Amino acid sequence: MPLHPIKGGVHPEGHKAQTNAAPIARLPLPARLFVPLAQHIGLPAEACVREGQQVKKGELIGSAQGSVSAAVHAPTSGTVLAIAPYTAPHPSGLPLLTVVIDPDGKDEWADLHTPRDPFDLMPEEIAARLAAAGIVGMGGATFPAAVKLSTAVQKHVDTLIINGGECEPYLTCDDRLMRERADQIIDGVRILLHAIGHGRALIAVEDNKPEAIDALRAAARGFDPIEIVPVPSLYPMGSEKQLIFALLGREVPAGALPAQLGVTVQNVATAAAVSEAIRHGRPLLSRVITVGGAVRVPQNVEALIGTPMQALIDFCGGFTEPPARLIMGGPMMGHVVPNMQVPVVKGSSGLLALTARDLPETKARPCIRCGSCVQACPCGLMPLEMAARIRQDDFKGAAAYGVTDCISCGSCAYVCPSHIPLVQYFNHAKGHLALEHARERQAAEIRALTEAKKLRQAREAEAKRARALAAKQAREKAAASEKTP
Amino acid sequence: MTAPHLVSGPHLAGGRTLHGIMLQVCLALLPATLFGVGLFGWPALNLLLITVASALAFEALALRLAGKPLFPDLGDGSALVTALLLALSLPPWAPWWIGVLGGGFAIVLGKQIFGGLGQNPFNPAMLARVVLLIAFPVELTQWATPHPLFAAGSPGFLEGLQITFMGVPNVDAVSGATLLGHVKTELGRGVELSAALGHYDATQALLGMKGGSLGETSALLILLGGLYLLARRIITWHIPVAMLAAIALPATVMHWIDPLHHAGALYHLLTGGVMLGAFFIATDYVTSPSSPAGQVIYGAACGLLVWIIRSFGGFPEGVAFAVLLMNGATPLIDHWVRPRIYGRDRKGQPLTVAREKRS
């Protein structure tokens, strides 16, 4: 199919050969599991087990709250040791409520939903089962899959895009998954297609993964609505908005959802998890994560959710040299891991040990307005102008230059010859603007309530006056009638 | 940042550095520089070295006065590029104090008083050149004829020092008007173009075996340097192509309408500072717009102004004036000409959701 060139983008060195050749290894059961109750976008799940309680593998330990949330399950059988705050793999490094499980080593399954033929299920049932299985977007955004699917069904989406771009350097977990579990991915795609009722699926894979493309093509043979589309290897091709444009030539309007264009996007690992959940009734308990960088045996590892990063590093033979920075996710958009006890969560695509040589210069030089950032930005923004305004705390000015349209891909900072931490500037501004927006909304609500109260009081006063007048008139009338016998 | 884990991505860098870019620009200027020194001999080399030394000294002084550390600013190559561009645009046998003052004007007036690198509204080299031209019109319009290094009749090393520090003995014997200046004067007194051009030869102009500024005579070598910058993606095509086209177009049209008084495109492109201006001066990052569309507008306006000043203005050459004028317009261009943001129209409003039905 004809592709559409995306704007900007960069070509960072791939470093994929480090891990893309070896098969996915399975991590042995770790000594302890730390399962955070908030591993997704939306409200944290609420613990539904007690300390000391025995749990089976796949048993619900945290139930979803509100409309956007995801369930959390016990990754293995064992005892709940504690439900307490632990440092989470989150950019803030703040502690999150975490269920600590002491595995009993039996890995005993709970009673699972008896699966039915997925193609007999109604879309709502599929969404309900995905919700019950705690499936979230596994590309890193961790948006609850069931919520996305329900929106897609509601908006009559007819194009399902499966994101196998994996444009971040180092990461090969999706690549290995596509090579080794293509059938499972295609099965998940078919189930999702069945759920949205009609339409086609486009599985986009960057053309630097020919083996994955071949494996998917072989697995998709005979399923006409599924097309495997090789896309150019260009960062950030795997970004939802950019991928939609590359495939369809259409842009998601600012502030709108892809579903409004009739499109929904899911990651390949999410598709595999969908198959697991719907075919076998198994909730999301593990994921494949690329352990790379300065480790002895860099490789892809399938690890249980809640596995401490330390266990992954130990399994991969330890560090070849002390890393300067540990990253969860890819090196372009990943977050710094605050310490080695932080667990693998549903959105952990990579654990990278980067050395001082890999890291960018930390001392920023003045902006020389070279415009490299303008050329690199896939969103058509002018990062240098936004940064100049944010430096002056002019967040409104930065917003006028479109800072809220920034996807934080980091292409601008990657090319900046002055090593200005542009993404940091933009995140700072976005935080400020979000806070201001919330305050403004609050103020507007208070204003509206105050107005309403005033109106009500005026109305009541008016009614009181009218009543008093009527009573007076009635009294006068009565008095008058008394006088005239 | 106090806590290291609050560092945002990317945790990789593309490998391009500020001083790397400046060194590449110097490298791109090297052929034209060497050619200029070879063509005009020892006095040209003296002027070049004095200008560079002066710029670095004034940079150091300004940093010291501002209470900033000398490094890395002094070593980032930006002062070197400024000094090099200024020296290449000066008359090759200009006296030592022109180099000293020029370096000072460029660095202090042109850059540091605005806050240093990245803050200056005007191209420092061109600002210094225009200040010099207005303040010292005699010295800035004395053009030595080619006196190749080591050639018979060229000044030796000691004579070179004498020319630089004591002045040129018997000026009229060793200098002449530049082609642009000569043609301007001749046209001004009613001579027709073909006569004014004399035995002008485009090939010679391309190679640069002629009188002129220190490093501007060889259009070919400057073009080579410019192509190198394009190939290394230090600059993009937008400014140079727009500028050259905006000179060539009106020149061609007017030459066709009035061939007796208007020279053609090739003459304008190969003479004076046009090549250096299009590839090295107008493309100065700090003082040019940063969006591609803005760069095309800016480049085209620079080119048009060069042609207008040359054709109707009081000065034979207009590159420095044109670039400075457009530098002044750059903030305006950057304000009005921005790339379209993904998901928004040109006015910044969200695109309307137009859902196309697939059949």
Side-chain angles (χ1 to χ4, degrees):
Chain A
M1 64 183 284
L3 293 176
H4 306 267
I6 65 168
K7 262 190 209 166
V10 293
H11 288 103
E13 203 188 322
H15 296 281
K16 299 208 183 233
Q18 201 188 26
T19 50
N20 69 4
I24 299 166
R26 195 175 281 275
L27 190 81
L29 203 58
R32 287 262 190 293
L33 290 169
F34 299 82
V35 188
L37 289 164
Q39 304 181 36
H40 45 264
I41 287 180
L43 288 178
E46 201 168 275
C48 52
V49 287
R50 289 166 286 104
E51 291 183 3
Q53 186 180 330
Q54 300 293 312
V55 289
K56 294 275 177 61
K57 180 174 186 163
E59 193 176 324
L60 188 72
I61 56 174
S63 47
Q65 302 295 310
S67 57
V68 180
S69 184
V72 176
H73 302 80
T76 186
S77 57
T79 316
V80 176
L81 279 185
I83 301 169
Y86 276 88
T87 309
H90 184 269
S92 70
L94 294 175
L96 289 178
L97 208 55
T98 299
V99 178
V100 185
I101 295 174
D102 182 27
D104 58 15
K106 293 184 216 152
D107 212 26
E108 213 175 319
W109 277 97
D111 292 330
L112 299 176
H113 248 311
T114 334
R116 270 166 45 201
D117 182 355
F119 300 102
D120 282 347
L121 294 171
M122 297 295 289
E124 302 78 47
E125 286 176 283
I126 293 182
R129 283 175 186 229
L130 294 185
I135 293 176
V136 301
M138 291 171 79
T142 65
F143 190 82
V147 181
K148 212 173 195 179
L149 183 63
S150 301
T151 312
V153 171
Q154 205 185 349
K155 299 274 180 197
H156 306 288
V157 156
D158 58 11
T159 301
L160 170 65
I161 292 177
I162 300 295
N163 189 346
E166 200 166 51
C167 55
E168 278 265 13
Y170 288 95
L171 301 188
T172 59
C173 55
D174 286 350
D175 184 8
R176 286 310 311 180
L177 203 69
M178 288 186 278
R179 293 195 209 186
E180 296 179 35
R181 300 177 198 171
D183 288 325
Q184 201 182 22
I185 292 169
I186 297 296
D187 188 53
V189 174
R190 289 181 59 214
I191 294 168
L192 288 170
L193 268 182
H194 168 72
I196 63 174
H198 59 301
R200 59 172 173 172
L202 304 172
I203 308 185
V205 185
E206 278 196 353
D207 55 14
N208 58 1
K209 297 183 255 298
E211 297 88 347
I213 292 169
D214 289 345
L216 287 172
R217 281 207 169 125
R221 199 159 295 142
F223 302 118
D224 282 344
I226 303 179
E227 190 182 348
I228 319 299
V229 189
V231 293
S233 306
L234 170 69
Y235 181 87
M237 188 57 84
S239 152
E240 188 169 270
K241 288 177 168 181
Q242 275 60 39
L243 191 59
I244 290 172
F245 183 79
L247 293 174
L248 307 175
R250 291 159 69 206
E251 295 181 4
V252 183
L257 290 173
Q260 286 166 264
L261 290 180
V263 183
T264 189
V265 184
Q266 292 286 4
N267 167 270
V268 280
T270 315
V274 166
S275 166
E276 276 285 293
I278 305 294
R279 283 272 175 205
H280 309 290
R282 294 185 197 134
L284 180 54
L285 304 181
S286 67
R287 68 158 296 140
V288 182
I289 172 169
T290 305
V291 185
V295 290
R296 273 215 174 78
V297 192
Q299 58 186 315
N300 283 293
V301 179
E302 176 151 23
L304 293 179
I305 303 300
T307 304
M309 297 294 183
Q310 182 72 58
L312 287 176
I313 296 294
D314 291 345
F315 182 74
C316 294
F319 298 120
T320 52
E321 62 181 289
R325 208 178 278 177
L326 268 181
I327 305 295
M328 194 191 93
M332 295 296 286
M333 289 186 74
H335 303 300
V336 175
V337 175
N339 67 58
M340 299 280 285
Q341 291 314 310
V342 159
V344 172
V345 288
K346 293 172 182 176
S348 310
S349 47
L351 173 62
L352 307 176
L354 300 182
T355 65
R357 289 186 307 282
D358 304 318
L359 295 178
E361 186 75 43
T362 49
K363 217 159 157 40
R365 304 274 297 125
C367 172
I368 53 168
R369 302 178 40 82
C370 67
S372 309
C373 52
V374 180
Q375 288 172 45
C377 181
C379 298
L381 300 171
M382 299 181 84
L384 78 170
E385 298 289 351
M386 302 195 300
R389 278 154 187 82
I390 295 164
R391 227 191 321 263
Q392 315 285 334
D393 283 345
D394 176 12
F395 302 112
K396 288 246 159 64
Y401 270 88
V403 73
T404 51
D405 290 292
C406 164
I407 56 168
S408 293
C409 71
S411 297
C412 52
Y414 176 80
V415 296
C416 179
S418 291
H419 309 295
I420 299 169
L422 292 161
V423 179
Q424 193 120 3
Y425 275 83
F426 304 152
N427 287 345
H428 173 65
K430 284 178 202 169
H432 252 276
L433 289 166
L435 200 66
E436 250 167 55
H437 187 66
R439 280 211 195 105
E440 269 164 25
R441 212 168 39 193
Q442 207 175 12
E445 261 167 43
I446 292 172
R447 234 185 347 263
L449 287 175
T450 320
E451 287 296 310
K453 187 179 177 187
K454 263 193 212 147
L455 275 177
R456 194 190 69 225
Q457 283 173 335
R459 229 177 15 246
E460 281 171 2
E462 181 63 32
K464 205 170 164 185
R465 247 199 322 278
R467 267 199 311 276
L469 193 68
K472 194 177 162 201
Q473 279 168 350
R475 267 199 314 276
E476 278 168 2
K477 210 172 167 189
S481 62
E482 257 173 40
K483 275 182 196 159
T484 51
Chain B
M1 283 297 118
T2 46
H5 59 261
L6 287 179
V7 178
S8 289
H11 309 283
L12 290 178
R16 187 173 272 194
T17 61
L18 207 152
H19 61 268
I21 290 175
M22 297 298 170
L23 283 180
Q24 303 253 26
V25 175
C26 289
L27 202 62
L29 283 172
L30 198 63
T33 309
L34 291 178
F35 179 80
V37 168
L39 188 66
F40 297 109
W42 291 108
L45 182 64
N46 295 341
L47 180 67
L48 185 71
L49 294 179
I50 289 169
T51 310
V52 169
S54 158
L56 290 174
F58 276 107
E59 177 101 325
L61 181 73
L63 289 171
R64 182 58 59 82
L65 285 177
K68 293 182 193 166
L70 291 189
F71 291 94
D73 290 47
L74 194 56
D76 65 18
S78 61
L80 182 64
V81 169
T82 297
L84 200 53
L85 286 173
L86 172 62
L88 295 185
S89 74
L90 291 176
W93 285 14
W96 65 275
W97 51 268
I98 287 285
V100 171
L101 283 179
F105 288 149
I107 296 299
V108 179
L109 280 186
K111 181 167 110 177
Q112 290 290 352
I113 57 167
F114 295 105
L117 184 61
Q119 305 295 321
N120 49 298
F122 299 103
N123 182 305
M126 288 304 100
L127 183 114
R129 194 185 187 288
V130 165
V131 171
L132 289 173
L133 177 65
I134 291 167
F136 312 106
V138 176
E139 286 77 5
L140 262 282
T141 48
Q142 241 160 40
W143 307 98
T145 49
H147 285 76
L149 208 57
F150 310 120
S154 295
F157 177 66
L158 288 177
E159 282 169 284
L161 288 180
Q162 199 187 358
I163 288 170
T164 303
F165 291 98
M166 319 282 288
V168 186
N170 197 6
V171 174
D172 293 339
V174 292
S175 60
T178 60
L179 184 63
L180 277 174
H182 175 71
V183 170
K184 179 111 205 161
T185 319
E186 294 295 282
L187 287 177
R189 57 190 193 93
V191 177
E192 284 178 6
L193 182 69
S194 55
L197 278 173
H199 46 267
Y200 157 76
D201 170 15
T203 324
Q204 218 178 358
L206 184 69
L207 295 176
M209 303 298 287
K210 58 179 181 185
S213 297
L214 205 167
E216 290 178 353
T217 58
S218 175
L220 183 69
L221 291 180
I222 294 166
L223 182 64
L224 273 181
L227 292 178
Y228 172 78
L229 291 187
L230 279 173
R232 300 305 304 259
R233 301 190 179 192
I234 305 281
I235 60 171
T236 58
W237 61 267
H238 305 86
I239 293 175
V241 169
M243 181 164 166
L244 296 177
I247 294 174
L249 202 68
T252 307
V253 171
M254 286 308 283
H255 183 62
W256 181 69
I257 293 173
D258 182 9
L260 293 185
H261 297 100
H262 288 278
L266 206 57
Y267 167 84
H268 278 291
L269 295 183
L270 297 182
T271 52
V274 164
M275 282 293 166
L276 194 71
F279 285 99
F280 290 90
I281 293 167
T283 53
D284 171 25
Y285 293 146
V286 179
T287 56
S288 62
S290 36
S291 71
Q295 289 172 350
V296 169
I297 294 170
Y298 164 91
C302 278
L304 195 63
L305 281 172
V306 168
W307 181 79
I308 290 172
I309 294 170
R310 280 182 174 188
S311 304
F312 310 108
F315 287 93
E317 175 58 309
V319 172
F321 294 111
V323 169
L324 287 177
L325 281 170
M326 287 317 295
N327 286 166
T330 290
L332 209 60
I333 296 176
D334 264 340
H335 182 80
W336 289 110
V337 186
R338 304 181 199 173
R340 188 182 61 79
I341 298 172
Y342 180 106
R344 292 183 183 275
D345 63 17
R346 289 240 160 250
K347 287 180 183 147
Q349 295 306 310
L351 296 175
T352 44
V353 183
R355 179 147 178 202
E356 71 189 32
K357 267 279 166 222
R358 253 174 17 88
S359 47

